[in-house]
Structures are given as structure tokens and as C-alpha cells.
Amino acid sequence: MAARSQYEELARQLSAVGAVKRGLARILPPECPGGSAAVLALLDQHGEMRISRLAELLSVDMSVTSRHVAHVAEFGWIERSPDPVDKRSRILRLTPAGRTVLDDLGRRTTEMFAHHLADWSDDEVGQLNTLLARLRDSFACRSHTGCTPGRHSDDCRARPSGSSGVAGPEAGSGPDAVAHTRTPL
């Protein structure tokens, strides 16, 4: 176990990550704020889904998810069609226009990181990715089952622990949660 001072320094470093998050927000086009980008990214990653599943992955309330969905639908980036199983529900799908926006966001994100991390080696970037994925995995357990980080069952990640009010999949749930980031890619 690490010394207390190391955990205190980790808390300071993670608080400072706000500068990175603000940099990511600045590269988003005005018509595609973070919540919209997250909706597109999740539909791309997981395929079509109901809005209730999207709300789970975003870890936000249905009302917040509905606003994000309405925004991206207004731009034609997703389509909403009746669910064949439950006509009261809608299935959300990424459209070709949405894929184009997502490709642009991915290019912008990649260019930003390439610019700011130009003096990092491939190995250092890989280590950062590995450690951030491990950090997320350590926080992934959503129940009180006492699972061990890195050895989660499907049950412990099945439901979000509550609504954070933050529009982004970073705190997503499910076995694929490690692959999520708040940014589109």
C-alpha cells in the first residue's frame, strides 16, 4: 500500500487534470458540447440502444440524457426509431452525419494530445493509458459486494451508483466501462 503522502499527491494531480479537461472542451465545436459528444461516442462504441441504457452509460438522470439526445437529433447526428419490442420506447442510432462529426472530434482530440505530448515517448503515453485504465477499473465496482479491483464480476458493474450530474461516460458502467472516456474517443 502506498504512503498517505502519495495519495495526497495523487489527489492534487487529479485535481490539476481540470486543465486537460478544459483543453478538451475548447476543441469541441460550439454546436457539439461535451454531453453531445459523449452521446455520439457511446452510440458508436456500443451500437444502437434505448435512452435508458444511454442514461446508465452517461451516469446522468434521464432528463439530462433526454436533453442531450434532443440536441444531437436536432442536428441529424442520431435517429430515434420505435423499439419493435416496446413501442413506447425509442431506439437511438448514430447516423452517417453523426459519424462524420465523431470522426472530426476524434481528429481534433488526437491532434491536441499529439501537440501537447510531443515530447513524450510512445512508451510513456502507453504507460499513462494503462495506469488511467487501471485507476478507472479500481473505481468501477458499483455495489457493496466487496469485489477486488481488477477482478470485477458483471454484477458489481451492472448499475451506476447514482447520478453524478456530469455529462460524460467516464463514470460509465458495465464490462466495457474501462474503454470509456469523457471525450469522444
Side-chain angles (χ1 to χ4, degrees), residues 109-172:
T109 302
T110 300
E111 288 174 1
M112 186 202 74
F113 278 118
H115 171 75
H116 289 286
L117 304 182
D119 60 336
W120 289 43
S121 70
D122 287 351
D123 192 46
E124 289 170 323
V125 173
Q127 288 174 20
L128 178 62
N129 287 331
T130 299
L131 291 172
L132 288 173
R134 186 173 175 194
L135 178 64
R136 273 193 317 274
D137 188 54
S138 294
F139 281 82
C141 188
R142 302 283 188 208
S143 71
H144 302 295
T145 61
C147 64
T148 304
R151 296 188 184 99
H152 300 284
S153 69
D154 287 338
D155 292 340
C156 77
R157 295 192 225 191
R159 294 185 354 244
S161 59
S163 175
S164 66
V166 177
E170 184 175 323

CSV table of all heavy atoms in Angstrom, one decimal, residues 109-172:
chain,number,residue,atom,x,y,z
A,109,THR,N,-9.2,15.7,-31.1
A,109,THR,CA,-8.7,15.2,-29.8
A,109,THR,C,-7.2,14.6,-30.0
A,109,THR,O,-6.3,14.9,-29.3
A,109,THR,CB,-9.6,14.1,-29.3
A,109,THR,OG1,-10.9,14.6,-29.1
A,109,THR,CG2,-9.1,13.6,-28.0
A,110,THR,N,-7.1,13.8,-31.1
A,110,THR,CA,-5.8,13.2,-31.4
A,110,THR,C,-4.7,14.3,-31.6
A,110,THR,O,-3.6,14.3,-31.1
A,110,THR,CB,-5.9,12.3,-32.6
A,110,THR,OG1,-6.8,11.3,-32.3
A,110,THR,CG2,-4.5,11.7,-32.9
A,111,GLU,N,-5.1,15.3,-32.4
A,111,GLU,CA,-4.2,16.4,-32.7
A,111,GLU,C,-3.8,17.2,-31.5
A,111,GLU,O,-2.6,17.6,-31.3
A,111,GLU,CB,-4.8,17.4,-33.8
A,111,GLU,CG,-4.8,16.8,-35.2
A,111,GLU,CD,-5.5,17.6,-36.2
A,111,GLU,OE1,-6.0,18.7,-35.8
A,111,GLU,OE2,-5.6,17.2,-37.3
A,112,MET,N,-4.8,17.4,-30.6
A,112,MET,CA,-4.5,18.2,-29.3
A,112,MET,C,-3.5,17.4,-28.5
A,112,MET,O,-2.5,17.9,-28.0
A,112,MET,CB,-5.8,18.4,-28.6
A,112,MET,CG,-5.5,19.3,-27.3
A,112,MET,SD,-6.7,19.2,-26.0
A,112,MET,CE,-6.4,17.6,-25.3
A,113,PHE,N,-3.8,16.1,-28.3
A,113,PHE,CA,-2.8,15.3,-27.5
A,113,PHE,C,-1.5,15.2,-28.1
A,113,PHE,O,-0.4,15.3,-27.5
A,113,PHE,CB,-3.4,13.9,-27.2
A,113,PHE,CG,-4.4,13.9,-26.0
A,113,PHE,CD1,-5.7,13.6,-26.2
A,113,PHE,CD2,-4.0,14.3,-24.7
A,113,PHE,CE1,-6.6,13.6,-25.1
A,113,PHE,CE2,-4.9,14.3,-23.7
A,113,PHE,CZ,-6.2,14.0,-23.9
A,114,ALA,N,-1.4,15.0,-29.4
A,114,ALA,CA,-0.2,14.9,-30.1
A,114,ALA,C,0.7,16.2,-30.0
A,114,ALA,O,1.9,16.2,-29.8
A,114,ALA,CB,-0.4,14.6,-31.6
A,115,HIS,N,0.0,17.3,-30.0
A,115,HIS,CA,0.7,18.6,-29.8
A,115,HIS,C,1.2,18.8,-28.4
A,115,HIS,O,2.4,19.1,-28.2
A,115,HIS,CB,-0.3,19.8,-30.1
A,115,HIS,CG,0.2,21.1,-29.8
A,115,HIS,ND1,1.2,21.7,-30.5
A,115,HIS,CD2,0.0,21.9,-28.7
A,115,HIS,CE1,1.5,22.9,-30.0
A,115,HIS,NE2,0.8,23.0,-28.9
A,116,HIS,N,0.4,18.5,-27.4
A,116,HIS,CA,0.8,18.7,-26.0
A,116,HIS,C,1.7,17.6,-25.5
A,116,HIS,O,2.4,17.9,-24.5
A,116,HIS,CB,-0.5,18.8,-25.1
A,116,HIS,CG,-1.2,20.1,-25.3
A,116,HIS,ND1,-0.8,21.3,-24.9
A,116,HIS,CD2,-2.4,20.4,-26.0
A,116,HIS,CE1,-1.6,22.3,-25.2
A,116,HIS,NE2,-2.6,21.7,-25.9
A,117,LEU,N,1.7,16.5,-26.1
A,117,LEU,CA,2.5,15.4,-25.6
A,117,LEU,C,3.6,15.0,-26.6
A,117,LEU,O,4.2,13.9,-26.6
A,117,LEU,CB,1.7,14.1,-25.3
A,117,LEU,CG,0.5,14.3,-24.3
A,117,LEU,CD1,-0.2,13.0,-24.1
A,117,LEU,CD2,1.0,14.9,-23.0
A,118,ALA,N,4.0,16.0,-27.4
A,118,ALA,CA,5.0,15.8,-28.4
A,118,ALA,C,6.3,15.3,-27.8
A,118,ALA,O,7.1,14.6,-28.5
A,118,ALA,CB,5.2,17.0,-29.2
A,119,ASP,N,6.7,15.7,-26.6
A,119,ASP,CA,7.9,15.3,-26.0
A,119,ASP,C,7.8,14.0,-25.2
A,119,ASP,O,8.8,13.6,-24.5
A,119,ASP,CB,8.5,16.5,-25.2
A,119,ASP,CG,7.6,16.9,-24.0
A,119,ASP,OD1,6.3,16.6,-24.1
A,119,ASP,OD2,8.1,17.4,-23.0
A,120,TRP,N,6.7,13.4,-25.3
A,120,TRP,CA,6.5,12.1,-24.6
A,120,TRP,C,6.9,11.0,-25.6
A,120,TRP,O,6.5,11.0,-26.8
A,120,TRP,CB,5.1,11.9,-24.1
A,120,TRP,CG,4.6,12.8,-23.0
A,120,TRP,CD1,4.8,14.1,-22.8
A,120,TRP,CD2,3.8,12.3,-21.9
A,120,TRP,NE1,4.2,14.5,-21.7
A,120,TRP,CE2,3.6,13.5,-21.1
A,120,TRP,CE3,3.2,11.1,-21.6
A,120,TRP,CZ2,2.8,13.4,-20.0
A,120,TRP,CZ3,2.4,11.1,-20.4
A,120,TRP,CH2,2.2,12.2,-19.6
A,121,SER,N,7.4,9.9,-25.1
A,121,SER,CA,7.7,8.7,-25.9
A,121,SER,C,6.4,7.9,-26.0
A,121,SER,O,5.5,8.0,-25.3
A,121,SER,CB,8.8,7.8,-25.3
A,121,SER,OG,8.3,7.2,-24.1
A,122,ASP,N,6.4,7.0,-27.0
A,122,ASP,CA,5.2,6.1,-27.2
A,122,ASP,C,5.0,5.3,-26.0
A,122,ASP,O,3.9,5.0,-25.5
A,122,ASP,CB,5.5,5.2,-28.4
A,122,ASP,CG,5.3,5.9,-29.7
A,122,ASP,OD1,4.9,7.1,-29.8
A,122,ASP,OD2,5.6,5.3,-30.8
A,123,ASP,N,6.2,4.9,-25.4
A,123,ASP,CA,6.1,4.0,-24.2
A,123,ASP,C,5.5,4.8,-23.0
A,123,ASP,O,4.6,4.3,-22.3
A,123,ASP,CB,7.5,3.5,-23.8
A,123,ASP,CG,7.4,2.5,-22.7
A,123,ASP,OD1,6.6,1.5,-22.8
A,123,ASP,OD2,8.2,2.6,-21.7
A,124,GLU,N,5.8,6.1,-22.9
A,124,GLU,CA,5.2,6.9,-21.8
A,124,GLU,C,3.7,7.1,-22.0
A,124,GLU,O,3.0,7.0,-21.0
A,124,GLU,CB,5.9,8.3,-21.7
A,124,GLU,CG,7.4,8.2,-21.2
A,124,GLU,CD,8.1,9.5,-21.3
A,124,GLU,OE1,8.0,10.2,-22.3
A,124,GLU,OE2,8.9,9.8,-20.4
A,125,VAL,N,3.3,7.4,-23.2
A,125,VAL,CA,1.9,7.5,-23.5
A,125,VAL,C,1.2,6.2,-23.2
A,125,VAL,O,0.1,6.2,-22.6
A,125,VAL,CB,1.6,8.0,-24.9
A,125,VAL,CG1,0.1,8.0,-25.2
A,125,VAL,CG2,2.2,9.4,-25.1
A,126,GLY,N,1.8,5.1,-23.6
A,126,GLY,CA,1.2,3.8,-23.3
A,126,GLY,C,1.1,3.5,-21.8
A,126,GLY,O,0.0,3.0,-21.3
A,127,GLN,N,2.1,3.9,-21.0
A,127,GLN,CA,2.0,3.7,-19.6
A,127,GLN,C,0.9,4.5,-19.0
A,127,GLN,O,0.2,4.1,-18.1
A,127,GLN,CB,3.4,4.1,-19.0
A,127,GLN,CG,4.5,3.1,-19.2
A,127,GLN,CD,5.8,3.7,-18.7
A,127,GLN,OE1,5.9,4.5,-17.8
A,127,GLN,NE2,6.9,3.1,-19.2
A,128,LEU,N,0.8,5.8,-19.5
A,128,LEU,CA,-0.3,6.6,-18.9
A,128,LEU,C,-1.6,6.0,-19.2
A,128,LEU,O,-2.5,5.9,-18.4
A,128,LEU,CB,-0.2,8.0,-19.6
A,128,LEU,CG,-1.3,9.0,-19.1
A,128,LEU,CD1,-1.3,9.3,-17.6
A,128,LEU,CD2,-1.2,10.3,-19.9
A,129,ASN,N,-1.9,5.5,-20.5
A,129,ASN,CA,-3.1,4.9,-20.8
A,129,ASN,C,-3.4,3.7,-19.9
A,129,ASN,O,-4.5,3.5,-19.4
A,129,ASN,CB,-3.1,4.5,-22.3
A,129,ASN,CG,-3.3,5.6,-23.2
A,129,ASN,OD1,-3.9,6.6,-22.9
A,129,ASN,ND2,-2.7,5.5,-24.4
A,130,THR,N,-2.4,2.9,-19.7
A,130,THR,CA,-2.5,1.7,-18.9
A,130,THR,C,-2.9,2.1,-17.4
A,130,THR,O,-3.8,1.5,-16.8
A,130,THR,CB,-1.2,0.8,-18.9
A,130,THR,OG1,-1.0,0.4,-20.2
A,130,THR,CG2,-1.3,-0.4,-18.0
A,131,LEU,N,-2.2,3.0,-16.9
A,131,LEU,CA,-2.4,3.4,-15.5
A,131,LEU,C,-3.8,4.1,-15.3
A,131,LEU,O,-4.5,3.9,-14.3
A,131,LEU,CB,-1.3,4.3,-15.0
A,131,LEU,CG,0.0,3.6,-14.8
A,131,LEU,CD1,1.1,4.6,-14.5
A,131,LEU,CD2,-0.1,2.5,-13.7
A,132,LEU,N,-4.2,4.9,-16.3
A,132,LEU,CA,-5.5,5.6,-16.2
A,132,LEU,C,-6.6,4.5,-16.3
A,132,LEU,O,-7.6,4.6,-15.6
A,132,LEU,CB,-5.7,6.6,-17.3
A,132,LEU,CG,-4.9,7.9,-17.0
A,132,LEU,CD1,-5.0,8.8,-18.2
A,132,LEU,CD2,-5.3,8.6,-15.8
A,133,ALA,N,-6.5,3.5,-17.2
A,133,ALA,CA,-7.4,2.5,-17.3
A,133,ALA,C,-7.5,1.7,-16.0
A,133,ALA,O,-8.6,1.3,-15.5
A,133,ALA,CB,-7.1,1.5,-18.4
A,134,ARG,N,-6.4,1.4,-15.4
A,134,ARG,CA,-6.3,0.7,-14.1
A,134,ARG,C,-7.0,1.5,-13.0
A,134,ARG,O,-7.7,1.0,-12.1
A,134,ARG,CB,-4.9,0.4,-13.7
A,134,ARG,CG,-4.8,-0.5,-12.5
A,134,ARG,CD,-3.4,-0.9,-12.3
A,134,ARG,NE,-3.3,-1.6,-11.0
A,134,ARG,CZ,-2.1,-1.9,-10.4
A,134,ARG,NH1,-1.0,-1.6,-11.0
A,134,ARG,NH2,-2.1,-2.6,-9.3
A,135,LEU,N,-6.8,2.9,-13.0
A,135,LEU,CA,-7.4,3.7,-12.0
A,135,LEU,C,-8.9,3.7,-12.1
A,135,LEU,O,-9.6,3.5,-11.2
A,135,LEU,CB,-6.9,5.2,-12.2
A,135,LEU,CG,-7.5,6.2,-11.2
A,135,LEU,CD1,-7.2,5.9,-9.8
A,135,LEU,CD2,-7.0,7.6,-11.6
A,136,ARG,N,-9.4,3.8,-13.4
A,136,ARG,CA,-10.9,3.7,-13.6
A,136,ARG,C,-11.4,2.4,-13.1
A,136,ARG,O,-12.5,2.3,-12.5
A,136,ARG,CB,-11.2,3.9,-15.1
A,136,ARG,CG,-11.4,5.3,-15.5
A,136,ARG,CD,-12.0,5.5,-16.9
A,136,ARG,NE,-11.4,4.6,-17.8
A,136,ARG,CZ,-10.4,4.8,-18.6
A,136,ARG,NH1,-9.7,5.9,-18.5
A,136,ARG,NH2,-9.9,3.9,-19.5
A,137,ASP,N,-10.7,1.3,-13.4
A,137,ASP,CA,-11.1,-0.1,-13.0
A,137,ASP,C,-11.2,-0.2,-11.5
A,137,ASP,O,-12.1,-0.8,-11.0
A,137,ASP,CB,-10.1,-1.1,-13.6
A,137,ASP,CG,-10.7,-2.5,-13.4
A,137,ASP,OD1,-11.8,-2.8,-13.8
A,137,ASP,OD2,-9.9,-3.3,-12.9
A,138,SER,N,-10.3,0.5,-10.8
A,138,SER,CA,-10.3,0.4,-9.4
A,138,SER,C,-11.5,1.1,-8.8
A,138,SER,O,-11.9,0.8,-7.7
A,138,SER,CB,-9.0,1.1,-8.8
A,138,SER,OG,-7.9,0.3,-9.1
A,139,PHE,N,-12.1,2.0,-9.5
A,139,PHE,CA,-13.3,2.7,-9.1
A,139,PHE,C,-14.6,2.2,-9.7
A,139,PHE,O,-15.7,2.7,-9.5
A,139,PHE,CB,-13.2,4.2,-9.4
A,139,PHE,CG,-12.4,5.0,-8.5
A,139,PHE,CD1,-11.0,5.0,-8.6
A,139,PHE,CD2,-13.0,5.7,-7.4
A,139,PHE,CE1,-10.2,5.7,-7.7
A,139,PHE,CE2,-12.2,6.4,-6.5
A,139,PHE,CZ,-10.8,6.4,-6.7
A,140,ALA,N,-14.5,1.1,-10.5
A,140,ALA,CA,-15.6,0.6,-11.3
A,140,ALA,C,-16.6,-0.2,-10.5
A,140,ALA,O,-17.8,-0.3,-10.9
A,140,ALA,CB,-15.1,-0.3,-12.4
A,141,CYS,N,-16.3,-0.7,-9.4
A,141,CYS,CA,-17.3,-1.5,-8.6
A,141,CYS,C,-18.4,-0.7,-8.2
A,141,CYS,O,-18.2,0.4,-7.5
A,141,CYS,CB,-16.6,-2.2,-7.4
A,141,CYS,SG,-17.7,-3.4,-6.6
A,142,ARG,N,-19.6,-1.0,-8.5
A,142,ARG,CA,-20.8,-0.2,-8.2
A,142,ARG,C,-21.7,-0.8,-7.1
A,142,ARG,O,-22.7,-0.2,-6.8
A,142,ARG,CB,-21.7,-0.2,-9.5
A,142,ARG,CG,-21.0,0.4,-10.7
A,142,ARG,CD,-21.0,1.9,-10.5
A,142,ARG,NE,-20.5,2.4,-11.8
A,142,ARG,CZ,-19.8,3.6,-11.8
A,142,ARG,NH1,-19.6,4.2,-10.7
A,142,ARG,NH2,-19.4,4.0,-13.0
A,143,SER,N,-21.3,-1.9,-6.5
A,143,SER,CA,-22.1,-2.5,-5.5
A,143,SER,C,-21.3,-2.6,-4.2
A,143,SER,O,-20.1,-2.2,-4.2
A,143,SER,CB,-22.6,-3.8,-5.9
A,143,SER,OG,-21.6,-4.8,-5.9
A,144,HIS,N,-21.9,-3.1,-3.2
A,144,HIS,CA,-21.2,-3.3,-1.9
A,144,HIS,C,-20.8,-4.8,-1.8
A,144,HIS,O,-20.7,-5.3,-0.7
A,144,HIS,CB,-22.1,-2.9,-0.8
A,144,HIS,CG,-22.5,-1.5,-0.9
A,144,HIS,ND1,-21.6,-0.4,-0.8
A,144,HIS,CD2,-23.7,-0.9,-1.1
A,144,HIS,CE1,-22.3,0.7,-0.9
A,144,HIS,NE2,-23.6,0.4,-1.1
A,145,THR,N,-20.4,-5.5,-2.9
A,145,THR,CA,-20.1,-6.9,-2.8
A,145,THR,C,-18.7,-7.1,-2.4
A,145,THR,O,-18.3,-8.2,-2.1
A,145,THR,CB,-20.3,-7.5,-4.2
A,145,THR,OG1,-19.4,-6.9,-5.1
A,145,THR,CG2,-21.7,-7.5,-4.7
A,146,GLY,N,-17.9,-6.0,-2.3
A,146,GLY,CA,-16.5,-6.2,-1.8
A,146,GLY,C,-15.6,-6.8,-2.9
A,146,GLY,O,-14.7,-7.4,-2.5
A,147,CYS,N,-16.0,-6.6,-4.1
A,147,CYS,CA,-15.1,-7.2,-5.2
A,147,CYS,C,-13.7,-6.6,-5.1
A,147,CYS,O,-13.5,-5.5,-4.6
A,147,CYS,CB,-15.8,-7.0,-6.6
A,147,CYS,SG,-15.9,-5.3,-7.1
A,148,THR,N,-12.8,-7.2,-5.7
A,148,THR,CA,-11.4,-6.8,-5.8
A,148,THR,C,-11.2,-6.0,-7.0
A,148,THR,O,-11.5,-6.5,-8.1
A,148,THR,CB,-10.5,-8.0,-5.7
A,148,THR,OG1,-10.8,-8.8,-4.6
A,148,THR,CG2,-9.0,-7.6,-5.7
A,149,PRO,N,-10.6,-4.8,-6.9
A,149,PRO,CA,-10.3,-4.1,-8.2
A,149,PRO,C,-9.5,-4.9,-9.1
A,149,PRO,O,-8.6,-5.6,-8.7
A,149,PRO,CB,-9.5,-2.9,-7.7
A,149,PRO,CG,-10.0,-2.7,-6.3
A,149,PRO,CD,-10.2,-4.1,-5.8
A,150,GLY,N,-9.9,-4.9,-10.4
A,150,GLY,CA,-9.2,-5.7,-11.4
A,150,GLY,C,-9.9,-7.1,-11.6
A,150,GLY,O,-9.6,-7.8,-12.5
A,151,ARG,N,-10.8,-7.5,-10.6
A,151,ARG,CA,-11.4,-8.8,-10.7
A,151,ARG,C,-12.9,-8.6,-10.5
A,151,ARG,O,-13.5,-9.2,-9.6
A,151,ARG,CB,-10.9,-9.7,-9.6
A,151,ARG,CG,-9.4,-10.0,-9.9
A,151,ARG,CD,-9.0,-11.1,-8.9
A,151,ARG,NE,-7.5,-11.3,-9.1
A,151,ARG,CZ,-6.6,-10.8,-8.3
A,151,ARG,NH1,-7.0,-10.1,-7.3
A,151,ARG,NH2,-5.3,-11.1,-8.5
A,152,HIS,N,-13.5,-7.7,-11.3
A,152,HIS,CA,-14.9,-7.4,-11.1
A,152,HIS,C,-15.8,-8.4,-11.8
A,152,HIS,O,-15.4,-9.0,-12.8
A,152,HIS,CB,-15.2,-6.0,-11.7
A,152,HIS,CG,-14.5,-4.9,-11.1
A,152,HIS,ND1,-14.8,-4.4,-9.9
A,152,HIS,CD2,-13.4,-4.2,-11.5
A,152,HIS,CE1,-14.0,-3.4,-9.6
A,152,HIS,NE2,-13.1,-3.3,-10.5
A,153,SER,N,-16.9,-8.7,-11.2
A,153,SER,CA,-17.9,-9.5,-11.8
A,153,SER,C,-18.9,-8.6,-12.6
A,153,SER,O,-18.9,-7.4,-12.4
A,153,SER,CB,-18.7,-10.3,-10.8
A,153,SER,OG,-19.5,-9.4,-10.0
A,154,ASP,N,-19.7,-9.2,-13.5
A,154,ASP,CA,-20.6,-8.4,-14.2
A,154,ASP,C,-21.6,-7.8,-13.3
A,154,ASP,O,-22.1,-6.7,-13.5
A,154,ASP,CB,-21.4,-9.3,-15.3
A,154,ASP,CG,-20.5,-9.6,-16.4
A,154,ASP,OD1,-19.5,-8.9,-16.7
A,154,ASP,OD2,-20.8,-10.6,-17.1
A,155,ASP,N,-21.9,-8.4,-12.2
A,155,ASP,CA,-22.9,-7.9,-11.2
A,155,ASP,C,-22.4,-6.6,-10.5
A,155,ASP,O,-23.2,-5.7,-10.3
A,155,ASP,CB,-23.2,-8.9,-10.1
A,155,ASP,CG,-23.9,-10.1,-10.6
A,155,ASP,OD1,-24.5,-10.0,-11.7
A,155,ASP,OD2,-23.9,-11.1,-9.9
A,156,CYS,N,-21.1,-6.5,-10.2
A,156,CYS,CA,-20.7,-5.3,-9.5
A,156,CYS,C,-20.7,-4.1,-10.3
A,156,CYS,O,-20.7,-3.0,-9.8
A,156,CYS,CB,-19.3,-5.5,-8.9
A,156,CYS,SG,-17.9,-5.4,-10.0
A,157,ARG,N,-20.7,-4.2,-11.7
A,157,ARG,CA,-20.7,-3.0,-12.5
A,157,ARG,C,-22.0,-2.9,-13.3
A,157,ARG,O,-22.1,-2.0,-14.1
A,157,ARG,CB,-19.6,-3.2,-13.6
A,157,ARG,CG,-18.2,-3.2,-13.0
A,157,ARG,CD,-17.3,-3.1,-14.2
A,157,ARG,NE,-16.2,-4.0,-14.0
A,157,ARG,CZ,-15.1,-4.0,-14.7
A,157,ARG,NH1,-15.0,-3.1,-15.7
A,157,ARG,NH2,-14.2,-4.8,-14.6
A,158,ALA,N,-23.0,-3.6,-12.9
A,158,ALA,CA,-24.3,-3.6,-13.6
A,158,ALA,C,-25.0,-2.3,-13.5
A,158,ALA,O,-25.7,-1.9,-14.5
A,158,ALA,CB,-25.1,-4.8,-13.1
A,159,ARG,N,-24.9,-1.6,-12.4
A,159,ARG,CA,-25.7,-0.4,-12.3
A,159,ARG,C,-24.9,0.7,-11.7
A,159,ARG,O,-24.1,0.5,-10.9
A,159,ARG,CB,-26.9,-0.7,-11.3
A,159,ARG,CG,-27.9,-1.7,-11.8
A,159,ARG,CD,-29.1,-1.9,-10.9
A,159,ARG,NE,-29.1,-1.2,-9.7
A,159,ARG,CZ,-29.1,-1.8,-8.5
A,159,ARG,NH1,-29.1,-3.1,-8.4
A,159,ARG,NH2,-29.1,-1.1,-7.4
A,160,PRO,N,-25.1,1.9,-12.3
A,160,PRO,CA,-24.4,3.1,-11.7
A,160,PRO,C,-24.7,3.3,-10.3
A,160,PRO,O,-25.8,3.0,-9.8
A,160,PRO,CB,-24.8,4.2,-12.6
A,160,PRO,CG,-25.8,3.8,-13.5
A,160,PRO,CD,-26.0,2.3,-13.3
A,161,SER,N,-23.8,3.9,-9.5
A,161,SER,CA,-24.0,4.1,-8.1
A,161,SER,C,-24.9,5.3,-7.8
A,161,SER,O,-25.2,5.6,-6.7
A,161,SER,CB,-22.7,4.2,-7.4
A,161,SER,OG,-22.0,5.3,-7.9
A,162,GLY,N,-25.2,6.0,-8.9
A,162,GLY,CA,-26.1,7.2,-8.7
A,162,GLY,C,-25.8,8.2,-9.8
A,162,GLY,O,-24.8,8.1,-10.5
A,163,SER,N,-26.6,9.2,-9.8
A,163,SER,CA,-26.4,10.2,-10.8
A,163,SER,C,-25.4,11.3,-10.4
A,163,SER,O,-25.6,11.9,-9.3
A,163,SER,CB,-27.7,10.9,-11.1
A,163,SER,OG,-27.6,11.9,-12.0
A,164,SER,N,-24.4,11.5,-11.2
A,164,SER,CA,-23.4,12.5,-10.8
A,164,SER,C,-23.7,13.8,-11.4
A,164,SER,O,-23.1,14.8,-11.0
A,164,SER,CB,-22.0,12.0,-11.4
A,164,SER,OG,-22.0,12.0,-12.8
A,165,GLY,N,-24.6,13.9,-12.4
A,165,GLY,CA,-24.9,15.2,-13.0
A,165,GLY,C,-23.9,15.6,-14.0
A,165,GLY,O,-23.9,16.7,-14.5
A,166,VAL,N,-22.9,14.8,-14.2
A,166,VAL,CA,-21.8,15.1,-15.2
A,166,VAL,C,-22.1,14.4,-16.5
A,166,VAL,O,-22.3,13.2,-16.5
A,166,VAL,CB,-20.4,14.6,-14.6
A,166,VAL,CG1,-19.3,14.9,-15.6
A,166,VAL,CG2,-20.1,15.3,-13.3
A,167,ALA,N,-22.1,15.1,-17.5
A,167,ALA,CA,-22.4,14.6,-18.8
A,167,ALA,C,-21.2,14.0,-19.4
A,167,ALA,O,-20.4,14.7,-20.1
A,167,ALA,CB,-23.0,15.6,-19.7
A,168,GLY,N,-21.0,12.7,-19.2
A,168,GLY,CA,-19.8,12.1,-19.8
A,168,GLY,C,-19.8,10.6,-19.4
A,168,GLY,O,-20.2,10.3,-18.3
A,169,PRO,N,-19.2,9.8,-20.2
A,169,PRO,CA,-19.2,8.3,-19.9
A,169,PRO,C,-18.0,7.9,-19.1
A,169,PRO,O,-17.9,6.8,-18.8
A,169,PRO,CB,-19.1,7.7,-21.3
A,169,PRO,CG,-18.4,8.7,-22.1
A,169,PRO,CD,-18.8,10.0,-21.6
A,170,GLU,N,-17.3,8.9,-18.6
A,170,GLU,CA,-16.1,8.5,-17.8
A,170,GLU,C,-16.5,7.6,-16.6
A,170,GLU,O,-15.8,6.7,-16.3
A,170,GLU,CB,-15.4,9.7,-17.3
A,170,GLU,CG,-14.1,9.4,-16.6
A,170,GLU,CD,-13.4,10.7,-16.2
A,170,GLU,OE1,-13.4,11.6,-17.0
A,170,GLU,OE2,-12.8,10.7,-15.1
A,171,ALA,N,-17.6,7.9,-16.0
A,171,ALA,CA,-18.1,7.1,-14.9
A,171,ALA,C,-19.0,6.1,-15.3
A,171,ALA,O,-19.9,5.6,-14.5
A,171,ALA,CB,-18.7,8.1,-13.8
A,172,GLY,N,-19.0,5.6,-16.5
A,172,GLY,CA,-19.9,4.6,-17.1
A,172,GLY,C,-19.9,3.3,-16.4
A,172,GLY,O,-19.0,3.1,-15.5
